[in-house]
Amino acid sequence: MRRPQATPARVIVFGAGATGARVVRMLAESPEVGRVEVRDPDTARLRRTVDSCDDSVTAARGLEMPPDADMVVIATPTGTQAAAARAAVNAGASAVTTSSEISETRELLALGSLAAENGVALVVGAGFMPGLTCLLARAGAAEFDLVDEIHVAKAGTGGPACARQHHRALSSLAIDWRDGSWTRRSGGSGRELCWFPDPVAGRDCYRGALSDALLLVPAFEGVERVTARLAATRRDRLTAPLPMMRRPHPEGGVGAVRVELRGRRAARRHVAVLGAQARPAQGAAIVAAATALHLIGRADVSGAGGLASIRDTGRLLRAVADRGLRPCRFEGFTLSRDETPRP
Amino acid sequence: MAAGLIALIRRTIVAVVVGMAVAAVLRVRGRGGVPPQTGGWRELRDDELA
């Protein structure tokens, strides 16, 4: 159900970094959005972002929410998003967050009852991974009778905050869903060669402190295993327990995500592998902006969850593809095999 | 007595350093699997996105 938006929406964007600045520009160009207010503690960056857009974009500071805000997009560094999300939900505005940190994701999901009470949606992890990976998992699951396993992986980093999070994730405890319970595993363990869409191709990937399993498990009833990995070099693994040796680049190069689904289709084992390639900050911005536009004016979505849990994900994935983030499918391999059905 | 203690400390340090070097080599060597021998990526059509 889509409530007609009488006046163009007012959107508040927290963060004017590599992802946030792109979100601001995408929303400002949308006819559904009349006004975008961008907030960032870095005054110079805030000014640059506002100056690069038309008059519909204004600068502001702080966490205070205006009563007429329709949507809030939070693209600040992980660990700082829960406070802004809580302020948005308390003010009766839907919010789209991009966090990939485990503890913050738990904190955001815990706001679900408050969001449902206030009749607003709180989307958790609407970025490249998690985010696009959740949409791909949902799209791929349509061809299964039952999804047993979901394995997601990511290569590349966006802005400096994303690179720092990647570094921390590799040395922190990972969380896997295995046979119906949560399992803690060491970050940097579980090496697996994952094949991403070109030009990224094959990269060794490892467990890390990634929040994907927390978002995918509630969305796929009966799933037995969910894991998340991130690509890392030998130097990344050796230096992971140390502070970052040098300042991260303003933005990383081309990255990619990959989702592998395993399960049953017509009493046979079936495997589907989906992916996409983009600069991670660009990919995250497309997913966050498309999600915000998807939710503006919708009265039938409330509560907190990942993108695999929200309604009408097919339309959202098409909107993401229309913005240039085109999903791919790996074909021609022989992993599917006949199997007698379980009793 | 003092010379023996110093030799023990020296050997301990050498053993720890060698152990760390071996652990570092074991941690970074090898690869995580075999690349796929067949297949490739193709973009999804619009009707496959729903």
Side-chain angles (χ1 to χ4, degrees):
Chain A
M1 187 175 72
R2 201 164 177 82
R3 180 162 50 96
Q5 191 75 18
T7 54
R10 179 177 182 183
V11 182
I12 296 172
V13 179
F14 285 92
T19 300
R22 286 180 166 108
V23 171
V24 170
R25 282 191 281 273
M26 288 174 199
L27 292 176
E29 287 167 5
S30 168
E32 290 173 274
V33 177
R35 187 173 163 198
V36 181
E37 194 175 289
V38 53
R39 303 182 183 189
D40 193 290
D42 184 332
T43 312
R45 192 165 68 175
L46 184 61
R47 184 53 44 203
R48 273 200 306 278
T49 304
V50 171
D51 290 347
S52 70
C53 301
D54 60 19
D55 292 344
S56 66
V57 178
T58 55
R61 303 196 79 159
L63 286 179
E64 199 176 320
M65 293 290 159
D68 59 340
D70 296 296
M71 174 63 60
V72 176
V73 180
I74 306 166
T76 55
T78 54
T80 64
Q81 298 196 7
R86 183 182 291 276
V89 170
N90 277 329
S94 289
V96 173
T97 68
T98 56
S99 179
S100 62
E101 194 189 44
I102 290 174
S103 59
E104 189 166 58
T105 296
R106 285 198 171 115
E107 209 175 330
L108 289 166
L109 290 173
L111 292 173
S113 52
L114 181 62
E117 216 171 89
N118 291 353
V120 295
L122 172 56
V123 179
V124 183
F128 201 37
M129 183 180 130
L132 181 60
T133 45
C134 297
L135 289 176
L136 293 177
R138 178 55 69 202
E143 61 189 65
F144 286 79
D145 296 327
L146 176 70
V147 176
D148 291 328
E149 301 182 32
I150 306 172
H151 306 285
V152 299
K154 177 183 89 163
T157 56
C162 182
R164 289 190 190 95
Q165 169 63 10
H166 177 278
H167 184 83
R168 277 196 300 272
L170 207 54
S171 59
S172 307
L173 277 179
I175 183 167
D176 284 356
W177 178 255
R178 193 180 173 93
D179 300 330
S181 62
W182 295 107
T183 309
R184 287 286 197 175
R185 309 297 292 266
S186 301
S189 65
R191 177 167 50 198
E192 186 177 315
L193 180 65
C194 293
W195 209 257
F196 293 96
D198 296 327
V200 178
R203 300 283 298 274
D204 275 339
C205 293
Y206 305 86
R207 291 192 190 95
L210 302 164
S211 61
D212 296 72
L214 292 171
L215 302 173
L216 290 169
V217 169
F220 293 90
E221 198 179 339
V223 69
E224 290 173 5
R225 289 189 185 192
V226 181
T227 65
R229 285 178 166 78
L230 71 172
T233 62
R234 292 187 167 107
R235 189 183 66 192
D236 291 339
R237 294 185 66 218
L238 276 177
T239 59
L242 308 171
M244 284 189 90
M245 296 296 186
R246 58 184 178 194
R247 284 168 67 95
H249 296 292
E251 187 168 349
V254 175
V257 293
R258 178 184 190 277
V259 179
E260 181 173 328
L261 298 134
R262 293 171 178 261
R264 288 172 182 280
R265 182 173 67 174
R268 300 170 76 180
R269 291 297 294 170
H270 181 63
V271 179
V273 181
L274 302 174
Q277 61 82 22
R279 282 174 173 262
Q282 172 78 3
I286 288 174
V287 174
T291 304
L293 294 170
H294 180 74
L295 292 175
I296 285 173
R298 287 191 81 123
D300 60 337
V301 185
S302 66
L307 282 180
S309 303
I310 71 168
R311 290 188 187 181
D312 206 0
T313 50
R315 195 170 69 85
L316 177 55
L317 190 56
R318 275 198 300 276
V320 167
D322 288 345
R323 289 181 174 273
L325 187 52
R326 199 80 198 171
C328 306
R329 180 189 186 94
F330 194 84
E331 286 186 333
F333 61 103
T334 50
L335 285 177
S336 295
R337 62 177 188 275
D338 292 336
E339 190 180 78
T340 51
R342 282 181 183 168
Chain B
M1 180 68 181
L5 186 63
I6 288 169
L8 178 67
I9 292 170
R10 191 187 298 152
R11 283 173 190 159
T12 305
I13 291 171
V14 169
V16 168
V17 169
V18 169
M20 287 171 67
V22 169
V25 169
L26 287 177
R27 188 170 165 83
V28 299
R29 70 192 281 272
R31 289 190 68 90
V34 180
Q37 305 299 305
T38 58
W41 291 96
R42 74 158 175 86
E43 283 191 355
L44 292 183
R45 300 182 304 271
D46 283 344
D47 62 304
E48 294 175 297
L49 297 175

